[in-house]
């Protein structure tokens, strides 16, 4: 099966291949549109999936962290592998990027002022107890990204994350915090490298994960999943007049067969298609 028919049609729920015929390996991904090209960044997962024996109290299934991959495309159907733009660390076991650790949900936005591509990602210890956000920068969308380190933004845990860049150039880091129970919306500094200190706590104790943010008709949308590890659950969306404003929850946006388990998927990104009015693509991991 292929992701595309004659290079024109996107086919969800099938195996996707790149232009070299290899399986696309970019989980928990996000897409950046820059100067006429789409760049898809995601987790490059190692081959083996195993349960971490050191974590008895929940099903901590993991693979080796293989860094962040990037694929480029002009039309969203043909994807060229651009390589690993943030490479895993093979020797230094202390590094956040060591393959034995957790590296998830990388997202990249472009800073018009500094002209840097800025990546935020979830970095964690192999038992998910570190709960931090890592930051990396690059002069080019295809890397190499330089890793700057990790923090617990606003002195709070950070696991599932996304980034959102608004039309006014302000950018936000949205992340599951407080043991994944509460979702933070945190405005970034002008260079997008740090939290600005302005943040809100949302959906308190509702355990929302896998946030994906988009804007439509001057309203802001957050799509998210429930919190059941790798098992699919019910999606939910919320709307606000501003990123740091109050979010009103509207429930499950899916309908039809398997809507209550998001068609076996979990949100990772919503792409606003440049040049097409009201055209969005929601991306889910299955
Ligand atoms: C999910 C989360 C994934 C990953 C997984 C680990 O809830 O959305 O990104 O962290 O847990 O079990």
């Amino acid at each position: 099966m292929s992701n595309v028919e004659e290079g024109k049609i996107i086919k969800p729920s099938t195996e996707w291949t790149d232009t070299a015929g290899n399986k696309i390996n970019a989980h928990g991904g996000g897409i950046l549109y820059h100067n006429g090209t789409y760049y898809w960044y995601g987790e490059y997962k190692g081959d083996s999936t195993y349960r971490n024996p050191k974590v008895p109290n929940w099903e901590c299934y993991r693979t080796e962290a293989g860094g962040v991959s990037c694929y480029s495309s002009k039309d969203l159907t043909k994807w060229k592998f651009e390589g690993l733009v943030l490479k895993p660390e093979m020797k230094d076991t202390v590094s956040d990027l060591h393959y034995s650790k957790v590296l998830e949900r990388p997202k990249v936005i472009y800073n018009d002022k500094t002209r840097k591509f800025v990546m935020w990602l979830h970095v964690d210890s192999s038992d998910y107890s570190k709960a931090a956000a890592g930051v990396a920068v690059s002069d080019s969308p295809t890397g190499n990204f330089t890793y700057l380190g990790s923090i617990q933004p606003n002195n709070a845990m950070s696991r599932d994350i996304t980034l959102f860049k608004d039309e006014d150039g302000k950018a936000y880091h949205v992340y599951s915090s407080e043991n994944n129970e509460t979702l933070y919306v945190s405005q970034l500094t002008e260079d997008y490298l740090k939290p600005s200190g302005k943040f809100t706590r949302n959906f308190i104790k509702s355990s929302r994960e896998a946030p994906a943010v988009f804007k439509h008709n001057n309203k802001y949308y957050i799509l998210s999943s429930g919190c059941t590890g790798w098992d699919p659950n019910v999606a939910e969306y919320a709307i606000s007049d501003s990123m740091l404003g109050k979010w009103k929850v509207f429930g499950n946006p899916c309908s039809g067969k398997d809507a209550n388990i998001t068609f076996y998927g979990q949100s990772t990104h919503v792409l606003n298609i440049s040049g097409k009015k009201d055209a969005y693509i929601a991306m889910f991991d299955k």
Side-chain angles (χ1 to χ4, degrees), residues 43 58-61 102 104-105 122 128 159-160 180 209-210 225-230 233 266:
E43 304 155 22
W58 61 282
E59 292 186 349
C60 183
Y61 280 98
V102 169
E104 290 176 352
R105 300 184 178 275
H122 169 197
Y128 286 84
R159 291 204 179 90
D160 279 12
N180 306 340
E209 289 197 317
S225 78
C227 183
T228 54
W230 298 118
N233 54 48
Q266 187 187 26

mmCIF file with all atom_site columns, all heavy atoms in Angstrom, residues 43 58-61 102 104-105 122 128 159-160 180 209-210 225-230 233 266, ligand 1:
data_model
loop_
_atom_site.group_PDB
_atom_site.id
_atom_site.type_symbol
_atom_site.label_atom_id
_atom_site.label_alt_id
_atom_site.label_comp_id
_atom_site.label_asym_id
_atom_site.label_entity_id
_atom_site.label_seq_id
_atom_site.pdbx_PDB_ins_code
_atom_site.Cartn_x
_atom_site.Cartn_y
_atom_site.Cartn_z
_atom_site.occupancy
_atom_site.B_iso_or_equiv
_atom_site.pdbx_formal_charge
_atom_site.auth_seq_id
_atom_site.auth_comp_id
_atom_site.auth_asym_id
_atom_site.auth_atom_id
_atom_site.pdbx_PDB_model_num
ATOM   1   N N   . GLU A 1 43  ? 9.676  11.896 15.469 1.00 0.00 ? 43  GLU A N   1
ATOM   2   C CA  . GLU A 1 43  ? 10.556 10.973 16.211 1.00 0.00 ? 43  GLU A CA  1
ATOM   3   C C   . GLU A 1 43  ? 10.997 9.863  15.268 1.00 0.00 ? 43  GLU A C   1
ATOM   4   O O   . GLU A 1 43  ? 10.159 9.216  14.640 1.00 0.00 ? 43  GLU A O   1
ATOM   5   C CB  . GLU A 1 43  ? 9.776  10.299 17.348 1.00 0.00 ? 43  GLU A CB  1
ATOM   6   C CG  . GLU A 1 43  ? 9.127  11.228 18.319 1.00 0.00 ? 43  GLU A CG  1
ATOM   7   C CD  . GLU A 1 43  ? 7.916  10.574 19.010 1.00 0.00 ? 43  GLU A CD  1
ATOM   8   O OE1 . GLU A 1 43  ? 7.819  9.331  19.061 1.00 0.00 ? 43  GLU A OE1 1
ATOM   9   O OE2 . GLU A 1 43  ? 7.056  11.318 19.483 1.00 0.00 ? 43  GLU A OE2 1
ATOM   10  N N   . TRP A 1 58  ? 2.924  1.050  35.391 1.00 0.00 ? 58  TRP A N   1
ATOM   11  C CA  . TRP A 1 58  ? 2.154  1.351  34.176 1.00 0.00 ? 58  TRP A CA  1
ATOM   12  C C   . TRP A 1 58  ? 2.883  0.767  32.973 1.00 0.00 ? 58  TRP A C   1
ATOM   13  O O   . TRP A 1 58  ? 4.053  0.413  33.052 1.00 0.00 ? 58  TRP A O   1
ATOM   14  C CB  . TRP A 1 58  ? 1.885  2.847  33.998 1.00 0.00 ? 58  TRP A CB  1
ATOM   15  C CG  . TRP A 1 58  ? 3.101  3.713  33.861 1.00 0.00 ? 58  TRP A CG  1
ATOM   16  C CD1 . TRP A 1 58  ? 3.924  4.131  34.862 1.00 0.00 ? 58  TRP A CD1 1
ATOM   17  C CD2 . TRP A 1 58  ? 3.625  4.271  32.648 1.00 0.00 ? 58  TRP A CD2 1
ATOM   18  N NE1 . TRP A 1 58  ? 4.924  4.913  34.350 1.00 0.00 ? 58  TRP A NE1 1
ATOM   19  C CE2 . TRP A 1 58  ? 4.774  5.015  33.001 1.00 0.00 ? 58  TRP A CE2 1
ATOM   20  C CE3 . TRP A 1 58  ? 3.253  4.223  31.291 1.00 0.00 ? 58  TRP A CE3 1
ATOM   21  C CZ2 . TRP A 1 58  ? 5.538  5.698  32.059 1.00 0.00 ? 58  TRP A CZ2 1
ATOM   22  C CZ3 . TRP A 1 58  ? 4.008  4.911  30.362 1.00 0.00 ? 58  TRP A CZ3 1
ATOM   23  C CH2 . TRP A 1 58  ? 5.138  5.636  30.746 1.00 0.00 ? 58  TRP A CH2 1
ATOM   24  N N   . GLU A 1 59  ? 2.170  0.655  31.872 1.00 0.00 ? 59  GLU A N   1
ATOM   25  C CA  . GLU A 1 59  ? 2.727  -0.030 30.700 1.00 0.00 ? 59  GLU A CA  1
ATOM   26  C C   . GLU A 1 59  ? 3.670  0.882  29.940 1.00 0.00 ? 59  GLU A C   1
ATOM   27  O O   . GLU A 1 59  ? 3.294  1.493  28.941 1.00 0.00 ? 59  GLU A O   1
ATOM   28  C CB  . GLU A 1 59  ? 1.586  -0.516 29.798 1.00 0.00 ? 59  GLU A CB  1
ATOM   29  C CG  . GLU A 1 59  ? 0.776  -1.617 30.432 1.00 0.00 ? 59  GLU A CG  1
ATOM   30  C CD  . GLU A 1 59  ? -0.247 -2.196 29.478 1.00 0.00 ? 59  GLU A CD  1
ATOM   31  O OE1 . GLU A 1 59  ? -0.474 -1.617 28.401 1.00 0.00 ? 59  GLU A OE1 1
ATOM   32  O OE2 . GLU A 1 59  ? -0.824 -3.228 29.833 1.00 0.00 ? 59  GLU A OE2 1
ATOM   33  N N   . CYS A 1 60  ? 4.889  0.965  30.426 1.00 0.00 ? 60  CYS A N   1
ATOM   34  C CA  . CYS A 1 60  ? 5.873  1.868  29.838 1.00 0.00 ? 60  CYS A CA  1
ATOM   35  C C   . CYS A 1 60  ? 6.560  1.172  28.647 1.00 0.00 ? 60  CYS A C   1
ATOM   36  O O   . CYS A 1 60  ? 7.678  0.691  28.761 1.00 0.00 ? 60  CYS A O   1
ATOM   37  C CB  . CYS A 1 60  ? 6.891  2.285  30.896 1.00 0.00 ? 60  CYS A CB  1
ATOM   38  S SG  . CYS A 1 60  ? 8.092  3.474  30.309 1.00 0.00 ? 60  CYS A SG  1
ATOM   39  N N   . TYR A 1 61  ? 5.846  1.123  27.543 1.00 0.00 ? 61  TYR A N   1
ATOM   40  C CA  . TYR A 1 61  ? 6.438  0.566  26.326 1.00 0.00 ? 61  TYR A CA  1
ATOM   41  C C   . TYR A 1 61  ? 7.242  1.646  25.619 1.00 0.00 ? 61  TYR A C   1
ATOM   42  O O   . TYR A 1 61  ? 6.825  2.791  25.532 1.00 0.00 ? 61  TYR A O   1
ATOM   43  C CB  . TYR A 1 61  ? 5.350  0.051  25.372 1.00 0.00 ? 61  TYR A CB  1
ATOM   44  C CG  . TYR A 1 61  ? 4.841  -1.302 25.769 1.00 0.00 ? 61  TYR A CG  1
ATOM   45  C CD1 . TYR A 1 61  ? 3.661  -1.427 26.489 1.00 0.00 ? 61  TYR A CD1 1
ATOM   46  C CD2 . TYR A 1 61  ? 5.558  -2.448 25.443 1.00 0.00 ? 61  TYR A CD2 1
ATOM   47  C CE1 . TYR A 1 61  ? 3.195  -2.679 26.875 1.00 0.00 ? 61  TYR A CE1 1
ATOM   48  C CE2 . TYR A 1 61  ? 5.095  -3.698 25.828 1.00 0.00 ? 61  TYR A CE2 1
ATOM   49  C CZ  . TYR A 1 61  ? 3.916  -3.809 26.548 1.00 0.00 ? 61  TYR A CZ  1
ATOM   50  O OH  . TYR A 1 61  ? 3.467  -5.029 26.930 1.00 0.00 ? 61  TYR A OH  1
ATOM   51  N N   . VAL A 1 102 ? 14.018 9.137  26.415 1.00 0.00 ? 102 VAL A N   1
ATOM   52  C CA  . VAL A 1 102 ? 12.773 9.394  25.681 1.00 0.00 ? 102 VAL A CA  1
ATOM   53  C C   . VAL A 1 102 ? 12.896 10.726 24.950 1.00 0.00 ? 102 VAL A C   1
ATOM   54  O O   . VAL A 1 102 ? 13.314 11.729 25.543 1.00 0.00 ? 102 VAL A O   1
ATOM   55  C CB  . VAL A 1 102 ? 11.570 9.434  26.649 1.00 0.00 ? 102 VAL A CB  1
ATOM   56  C CG1 . VAL A 1 102 ? 10.324 9.963  25.961 1.00 0.00 ? 102 VAL A CG1 1
ATOM   57  C CG2 . VAL A 1 102 ? 11.321 8.054  27.231 1.00 0.00 ? 102 VAL A CG2 1
ATOM   58  N N   . GLU A 1 104 ? 10.355 12.813 22.333 1.00 0.00 ? 104 GLU A N   1
ATOM   59  C CA  . GLU A 1 104 ? 9.037  12.729 21.684 1.00 0.00 ? 104 GLU A CA  1
ATOM   60  C C   . GLU A 1 104 ? 8.536  14.084 21.197 1.00 0.00 ? 104 GLU A C   1
ATOM   61  O O   . GLU A 1 104 ? 8.909  15.137 21.717 1.00 0.00 ? 104 GLU A O   1
ATOM   62  C CB  . GLU A 1 104 ? 7.998  12.160 22.674 1.00 0.00 ? 104 GLU A CB  1
ATOM   63  C CG  . GLU A 1 104 ? 8.227  10.688 22.973 1.00 0.00 ? 104 GLU A CG  1
ATOM   64  C CD  . GLU A 1 104 ? 7.270  10.134 24.033 1.00 0.00 ? 104 GLU A CD  1
ATOM   65  O OE1 . GLU A 1 104 ? 6.529  10.912 24.658 1.00 0.00 ? 104 GLU A OE1 1
ATOM   66  O OE2 . GLU A 1 104 ? 7.284  8.909  24.222 1.00 0.00 ? 104 GLU A OE2 1
ATOM   67  N N   . ARG A 1 105 ? 7.636  14.018 20.209 1.00 0.00 ? 105 ARG A N   1
ATOM   68  C CA  . ARG A 1 105 ? 6.826  15.152 19.741 1.00 0.00 ? 105 ARG A CA  1
ATOM   69  C C   . ARG A 1 105 ? 7.631  16.399 19.377 1.00 0.00 ? 105 ARG A C   1
ATOM   70  O O   . ARG A 1 105 ? 7.309  17.514 19.823 1.00 0.00 ? 105 ARG A O   1
ATOM   71  C CB  . ARG A 1 105 ? 5.753  15.499 20.788 1.00 0.00 ? 105 ARG A CB  1
ATOM   72  C CG  . ARG A 1 105 ? 4.832  14.333 21.052 1.00 0.00 ? 105 ARG A CG  1
ATOM   73  C CD  . ARG A 1 105 ? 3.696  14.649 22.007 1.00 0.00 ? 105 ARG A CD  1
ATOM   74  N NE  . ARG A 1 105 ? 2.876  13.449 22.124 1.00 0.00 ? 105 ARG A NE  1
ATOM   75  C CZ  . ARG A 1 105 ? 1.906  13.132 21.278 1.00 0.00 ? 105 ARG A CZ  1
ATOM   76  N NH1 . ARG A 1 105 ? 1.590  13.935 20.304 1.00 0.00 ? 105 ARG A NH1 1
ATOM   77  N NH2 . ARG A 1 105 ? 1.232  12.015 21.415 1.00 0.00 ? 105 ARG A NH2 1
ATOM   78  N N   . HIS A 1 122 ? 9.777  16.981 23.695 1.00 0.00 ? 122 HIS A N   1
ATOM   79  C CA  . HIS A 1 122 ? 9.669  16.364 25.020 1.00 0.00 ? 122 HIS A CA  1
ATOM   80  C C   . HIS A 1 122 ? 10.888 15.468 25.215 1.00 0.00 ? 122 HIS A C   1
ATOM   81  O O   . HIS A 1 122 ? 11.091 14.541 24.435 1.00 0.00 ? 122 HIS A O   1
ATOM   82  C CB  . HIS A 1 122 ? 8.353  15.563 25.080 1.00 0.00 ? 122 HIS A CB  1
ATOM   83  C CG  . HIS A 1 122 ? 8.222  14.676 26.280 1.00 0.00 ? 122 HIS A CG  1
ATOM   84  N ND1 . HIS A 1 122 ? 7.299  13.652 26.334 1.00 0.00 ? 122 HIS A ND1 1
ATOM   85  C CD2 . HIS A 1 122 ? 8.868  14.652 27.476 1.00 0.00 ? 122 HIS A CD2 1
ATOM   86  C CE1 . HIS A 1 122 ? 7.392  13.042 27.503 1.00 0.00 ? 122 HIS A CE1 1
ATOM   87  N NE2 . HIS A 1 122 ? 8.336  13.616 28.210 1.00 0.00 ? 122 HIS A NE2 1
ATOM   88  N N   . TYR A 1 128 ? 10.286 8.071  32.269 1.00 0.00 ? 128 TYR A N   1
ATOM   89  C CA  . TYR A 1 128 ? 9.441  9.270  32.142 1.00 0.00 ? 128 TYR A CA  1
ATOM   90  C C   . TYR A 1 128 ? 9.374  10.094 33.447 1.00 0.00 ? 128 TYR A C   1
ATOM   91  O O   . TYR A 1 128 ? 8.386  10.767 33.700 1.00 0.00 ? 128 TYR A O   1
ATOM   92  C CB  . TYR A 1 128 ? 8.015  8.905  31.706 1.00 0.00 ? 128 TYR A CB  1
ATOM   93  C CG  . TYR A 1 128 ? 7.878  8.511  30.243 1.00 0.00 ? 128 TYR A CG  1
ATOM   94  C CD1 . TYR A 1 128 ? 8.145  7.212  29.828 1.00 0.00 ? 128 TYR A CD1 1
ATOM   95  C CD2 . TYR A 1 128 ? 7.465  9.435  29.278 1.00 0.00 ? 128 TYR A CD2 1
ATOM   96  C CE1 . TYR A 1 128 ? 8.016  6.831  28.501 1.00 0.00 ? 128 TYR A CE1 1
ATOM   97  C CE2 . TYR A 1 128 ? 7.325  9.067  27.951 1.00 0.00 ? 128 TYR A CE2 1
ATOM   98  C CZ  . TYR A 1 128 ? 7.606  7.769  27.559 1.00 0.00 ? 128 TYR A CZ  1
ATOM   99  O OH  . TYR A 1 128 ? 7.466  7.405  26.249 1.00 0.00 ? 128 TYR A OH  1
ATOM   100 N N   . ARG A 1 159 ? 5.578  17.312 29.531 1.00 0.00 ? 159 ARG A N   1
ATOM   101 C CA  . ARG A 1 159 ? 5.679  16.075 28.730 1.00 0.00 ? 159 ARG A CA  1
ATOM   102 C C   . ARG A 1 159 ? 5.107  16.368 27.335 1.00 0.00 ? 159 ARG A C   1
ATOM   103 O O   . ARG A 1 159 ? 5.713  17.104 26.585 1.00 0.00 ? 159 ARG A O   1
ATOM   104 C CB  . ARG A 1 159 ? 5.013  14.896 29.443 1.00 0.00 ? 159 ARG A CB  1
ATOM   105 C CG  . ARG A 1 159 ? 5.771  14.463 30.689 1.00 0.00 ? 159 ARG A CG  1
ATOM   106 C CD  . ARG A 1 159 ? 5.505  13.013 31.082 1.00 0.00 ? 159 ARG A CD  1
ATOM   107 N NE  . ARG A 1 159 ? 6.249  12.612 32.263 1.00 0.00 ? 159 ARG A NE  1
ATOM   108 C CZ  . ARG A 1 159 ? 5.814  12.717 33.532 1.00 0.00 ? 159 ARG A CZ  1
ATOM   109 N NH1 . ARG A 1 159 ? 4.606  13.183 33.788 1.00 0.00 ? 159 ARG A NH1 1
ATOM   110 N NH2 . ARG A 1 159 ? 6.565  12.333 34.547 1.00 0.00 ? 159 ARG A NH2 1
ATOM   111 N N   . ASP A 1 160 ? 3.952  15.810 26.964 1.00 0.00 ? 160 ASP A N   1
ATOM   112 C CA  . ASP A 1 160 ? 3.458  16.022 25.583 1.00 0.00 ? 160 ASP A CA  1
ATOM   113 C C   . ASP A 1 160 ? 3.442  17.514 25.259 1.00 0.00 ? 160 ASP A C   1
ATOM   114 O O   . ASP A 1 160 ? 2.912  18.315 26.043 1.00 0.00 ? 160 ASP A O   1
ATOM   115 C CB  . ASP A 1 160 ? 2.037  15.461 25.434 1.00 0.00 ? 160 ASP A CB  1
ATOM   116 C CG  . ASP A 1 160 ? 2.035  13.966 25.225 1.00 0.00 ? 160 ASP A CG  1
ATOM   117 O OD1 . ASP A 1 160 ? 3.091  13.332 25.423 1.00 0.00 ? 160 ASP A OD1 1
ATOM   118 O OD2 . ASP A 1 160 ? 0.973  13.422 24.864 1.00 0.00 ? 160 ASP A OD2 1
ATOM   119 N N   . ASN A 1 180 ? 0.781  15.297 33.939 1.00 0.00 ? 180 ASN A N   1
ATOM   120 C CA  . ASN A 1 180 ? -0.095 15.175 32.760 1.00 0.00 ? 180 ASN A CA  1
ATOM   121 C C   . ASN A 1 180 ? -1.544 15.556 33.058 1.00 0.00 ? 180 ASN A C   1
ATOM   122 O O   . ASN A 1 180 ? -2.429 15.288 32.252 1.00 0.00 ? 180 ASN A O   1
ATOM   123 C CB  . ASN A 1 180 ? -0.083 13.757 32.162 1.00 0.00 ? 180 ASN A CB  1
ATOM   124 C CG  . ASN A 1 180 ? 1.310  13.275 31.842 1.00 0.00 ? 180 ASN A CG  1
ATOM   125 O OD1 . ASN A 1 180 ? 2.230  14.082 31.715 1.00 0.00 ? 180 ASN A OD1 1
ATOM   126 N ND2 . ASN A 1 180 ? 1.475  11.986 31.707 1.00 0.00 ? 180 ASN A ND2 1
ATOM   127 N N   . GLU A 1 209 ? -3.703 15.351 26.771 1.00 0.00 ? 209 GLU A N   1
ATOM   128 C CA  . GLU A 1 209 ? -2.360 15.149 26.197 1.00 0.00 ? 209 GLU A CA  1
ATOM   129 C C   . GLU A 1 209 ? -2.399 15.405 24.709 1.00 0.00 ? 209 GLU A C   1
ATOM   130 O O   . GLU A 1 209 ? -3.445 15.707 24.134 1.00 0.00 ? 209 GLU A O   1
ATOM   131 C CB  . GLU A 1 209 ? -1.940 13.689 26.411 1.00 0.00 ? 209 GLU A CB  1
ATOM   132 C CG  . GLU A 1 209 ? -1.617 13.340 27.836 1.00 0.00 ? 209 GLU A CG  1
ATOM   133 C CD  . GLU A 1 209 ? -0.836 12.051 27.920 1.00 0.00 ? 209 GLU A CD  1
ATOM   134 O OE1 . GLU A 1 209 ? -1.187 11.087 27.206 1.00 0.00 ? 209 GLU A OE1 1
ATOM   135 O OE2 . GLU A 1 209 ? 0.126  11.997 28.693 1.00 0.00 ? 209 GLU A OE2 1
ATOM   136 N N   . ALA A 1 210 ? -1.240 15.223 24.073 1.00 0.00 ? 210 ALA A N   1
ATOM   137 C CA  . ALA A 1 210 ? -1.107 15.271 22.620 1.00 0.00 ? 210 ALA A CA  1
ATOM   138 C C   . ALA A 1 210 ? -1.728 16.536 22.012 1.00 0.00 ? 210 ALA A C   1
ATOM   139 O O   . ALA A 1 210 ? -2.525 16.467 21.072 1.00 0.00 ? 210 ALA A O   1
ATOM   140 C CB  . ALA A 1 210 ? -1.753 14.021 22.001 1.00 0.00 ? 210 ALA A CB  1
ATOM   141 N N   . SER A 1 225 ? -5.787 14.680 23.205 1.00 0.00 ? 225 SER A N   1
ATOM   142 C CA  . SER A 1 225 ? -6.235 13.316 23.501 1.00 0.00 ? 225 SER A CA  1
ATOM   143 C C   . SER A 1 225 ? -6.418 13.178 25.002 1.00 0.00 ? 225 SER A C   1
ATOM   144 O O   . SER A 1 225 ? -5.982 14.039 25.779 1.00 0.00 ? 225 SER A O   1
ATOM   145 C CB  . SER A 1 225 ? -5.192 12.299 23.018 1.00 0.00 ? 225 SER A CB  1
ATOM   146 O OG  . SER A 1 225 ? -4.112 12.241 23.935 1.00 0.00 ? 225 SER A OG  1
ATOM   147 N N   . GLY A 1 226 ? -7.006 12.057 25.414 1.00 0.00 ? 226 GLY A N   1
ATOM   148 C CA  . GLY A 1 226 ? -7.007 11.706 26.826 1.00 0.00 ? 226 GLY A CA  1
ATOM   149 C C   . GLY A 1 226 ? -5.652 11.123 27.193 1.00 0.00 ? 226 GLY A C   1
ATOM   150 O O   . GLY A 1 226 ? -4.729 11.116 26.372 1.00 0.00 ? 226 GLY A O   1
ATOM   151 N N   . CYS A 1 227 ? -5.544 10.615 28.391 1.00 0.00 ? 227 CYS A N   1
ATOM   152 C CA  . CYS A 1 227 ? -4.244 10.178 28.899 1.00 0.00 ? 227 CYS A CA  1
ATOM   153 C C   . CYS A 1 227 ? -4.288 8.675  29.195 1.00 0.00 ? 227 CYS A C   1
ATOM   154 O O   . CYS A 1 227 ? -4.595 8.268  30.311 1.00 0.00 ? 227 CYS A O   1
ATOM   155 C CB  . CYS A 1 227 ? -3.954 10.981 30.163 1.00 0.00 ? 227 CYS A CB  1
ATOM   156 S SG  . CYS A 1 227 ? -2.372 10.661 30.902 1.00 0.00 ? 227 CYS A SG  1
ATOM   157 N N   . THR A 1 228 ? -4.008 7.870  28.155 1.00 0.00 ? 228 THR A N   1
ATOM   158 C CA  . THR A 1 228 ? -4.016 6.405  28.344 1.00 0.00 ? 228 THR A CA  1
ATOM   159 C C   . THR A 1 228 ? -2.788 5.770  27.696 1.00 0.00 ? 228 THR A C   1
ATOM   160 O O   . THR A 1 228 ? -2.885 4.732  27.040 1.00 0.00 ? 228 THR A O   1
ATOM   161 C CB  . THR A 1 228 ? -5.304 5.772  27.762 1.00 0.00 ? 228 THR A CB  1
ATOM   162 O OG1 . THR A 1 228 ? -5.449 6.169  26.387 1.00 0.00 ? 228 THR A OG1 1
ATOM   163 C CG2 . THR A 1 228 ? -6.552 6.188  28.525 1.00 0.00 ? 228 THR A CG2 1
ATOM   164 N N   . GLY A 1 229 ? -1.640 6.413  27.840 1.00 0.00 ? 229 GLY A N   1
ATOM   165 C CA  . GLY A 1 229 ? -0.407 5.855  27.279 1.00 0.00 ? 229 GLY A CA  1
ATOM   166 C C   . GLY A 1 229 ? -0.509 5.700  25.773 1.00 0.00 ? 229 GLY A C   1
ATOM   167 O O   . GLY A 1 229 ? -0.955 6.609  25.072 1.00 0.00 ? 229 GLY A O   1
ATOM   168 N N   . TRP A 1 230 ? -0.141 4.531  25.259 1.00 0.00 ? 230 TRP A N   1
ATOM   169 C CA  . TRP A 1 230 ? -0.176 4.308  23.809 1.00 0.00 ? 230 TRP A CA  1
ATOM   170 C C   . TRP A 1 230 ? -1.544 3.828  23.338 1.00 0.00 ? 230 TRP A C   1
ATOM   171 O O   . TRP A 1 230 ? -1.727 3.566  22.151 1.00 0.00 ? 230 TRP A O   1
ATOM   172 C CB  . TRP A 1 230 ? 0.887  3.291  23.389 1.00 0.00 ? 230 TRP A CB  1
ATOM   173 C CG  . TRP A 1 230 ? 2.293  3.742  23.676 1.00 0.00 ? 230 TRP A CG  1
ATOM   174 C CD1 . TRP A 1 230 ? 3.185  3.137  24.516 1.00 0.00 ? 230 TRP A CD1 1
ATOM   175 C CD2 . TRP A 1 230 ? 2.978  4.879  23.122 1.00 0.00 ? 230 TRP A CD2 1
ATOM   176 N NE1 . TRP A 1 230 ? 4.364  3.833  24.528 1.00 0.00 ? 230 TRP A NE1 1
ATOM   177 C CE2 . TRP A 1 230 ? 4.274  4.897  23.684 1.00 0.00 ? 230 TRP A CE2 1
ATOM   178 C CE3 . TRP A 1 230 ? 2.620  5.884  22.217 1.00 0.00 ? 230 TRP A CE3 1
ATOM   179 C CZ2 . TRP A 1 230 ? 5.208  5.884  23.359 1.00 0.00 ? 230 TRP A CZ2 1
ATOM   180 C CZ3 . TRP A 1 230 ? 3.560  6.857  21.905 1.00 0.00 ? 230 TRP A CZ3 1
ATOM   181 C CH2 . TRP A 1 230 ? 4.824  6.849  22.466 1.00 0.00 ? 230 TRP A CH2 1
ATOM   182 N N   . ASN A 1 233 ? -7.869 6.846  22.710 1.00 0.00 ? 233 ASN A N   1
ATOM   183 C CA  . ASN A 1 233 ? -8.971 7.275  23.575 1.00 0.00 ? 233 ASN A CA  1
ATOM   184 C C   . ASN A 1 233 ? -9.744 8.384  22.867 1.00 0.00 ? 233 ASN A C   1
ATOM   185 O O   . ASN A 1 233 ? -9.515 8.669  21.690 1.00 0.00 ? 233 ASN A O   1
ATOM   186 C CB  . ASN A 1 233 ? -8.423 7.721  24.937 1.00 0.00 ? 233 ASN A CB  1
ATOM   187 C CG  . ASN A 1 233 ? -7.338 8.770  24.778 1.00 0.00 ? 233 ASN A CG  1
ATOM   188 O OD1 . ASN A 1 233 ? -7.502 9.735  24.038 1.00 0.00 ? 233 ASN A OD1 1
ATOM   189 N ND2 . ASN A 1 233 ? -6.207 8.572  25.434 1.00 0.00 ? 233 ASN A ND2 1
ATOM   190 N N   . GLN A 1 266 ? -4.002 9.280  17.666 1.00 0.00 ? 266 GLN A N   1
ATOM   191 C CA  . GLN A 1 266 ? -3.783 10.281 18.714 1.00 0.00 ? 266 GLN A CA  1
ATOM   192 C C   . GLN A 1 266 ? -3.224 11.534 18.039 1.00 0.00 ? 266 GLN A C   1
ATOM   193 O O   . GLN A 1 266 ? -2.272 11.456 17.258 1.00 0.00 ? 266 GLN A O   1
ATOM   194 C CB  . GLN A 1 266 ? -2.801 9.751  19.761 1.00 0.00 ? 266 GLN A CB  1
ATOM   195 C CG  . GLN A 1 266 ? -2.655 10.673 20.952 1.00 0.00 ? 266 GLN A CG  1
ATOM   196 C CD  . GLN A 1 266 ? -1.563 10.219 21.911 1.00 0.00 ? 266 GLN A CD  1
ATOM   197 O OE1 . GLN A 1 266 ? -0.626 9.552  21.504 1.00 0.00 ? 266 GLN A OE1 1
ATOM   198 N NE2 . GLN A 1 266 ? -1.680 10.604 23.168 1.00 0.00 ? 266 GLN A NE2 1
HETATM 199 C C1  . LIG B 2 .   ? 1.183  8.996  25.743 1.00 0.00 ? 1   LIG B C1  1
HETATM 200 C C2  . LIG B 2 .   ? 1.792  10.232 25.119 1.00 0.00 ? 1   LIG B C2  1
HETATM 201 C C3  . LIG B 2 .   ? 2.903  9.778  24.185 1.00 0.00 ? 1   LIG B C3  1
HETATM 202 C C4  . LIG B 2 .   ? 3.892  8.960  24.998 1.00 0.00 ? 1   LIG B C4  1
HETATM 203 C C5  . LIG B 2 .   ? 3.191  7.806  25.683 1.00 0.00 ? 1   LIG B C5  1
HETATM 204 C C6  . LIG B 2 .   ? 4.114  6.988  26.547 1.00 0.00 ? 1   LIG B C6  1
HETATM 205 O O1  . LIG B 2 .   ? 0.147  9.292  26.600 1.00 0.00 ? 1   LIG B O1  1
HETATM 206 O O2  . LIG B 2 .   ? 0.827  10.954 24.416 1.00 0.00 ? 1   LIG B O2  1
HETATM 207 O O3  . LIG B 2 .   ? 3.507  10.894 23.596 1.00 0.00 ? 1   LIG B O3  1
HETATM 208 O O4  . LIG B 2 .   ? 4.493  9.784  25.946 1.00 0.00 ? 1   LIG B O4  1
HETATM 209 O O5  . LIG B 2 .   ? 2.139  8.283  26.489 1.00 0.00 ? 1   LIG B O5  1
HETATM 210 O O6  . LIG B 2 .   ? 3.446  5.907  27.120 1.00 0.00 ? 1   LIG B O6  1
#
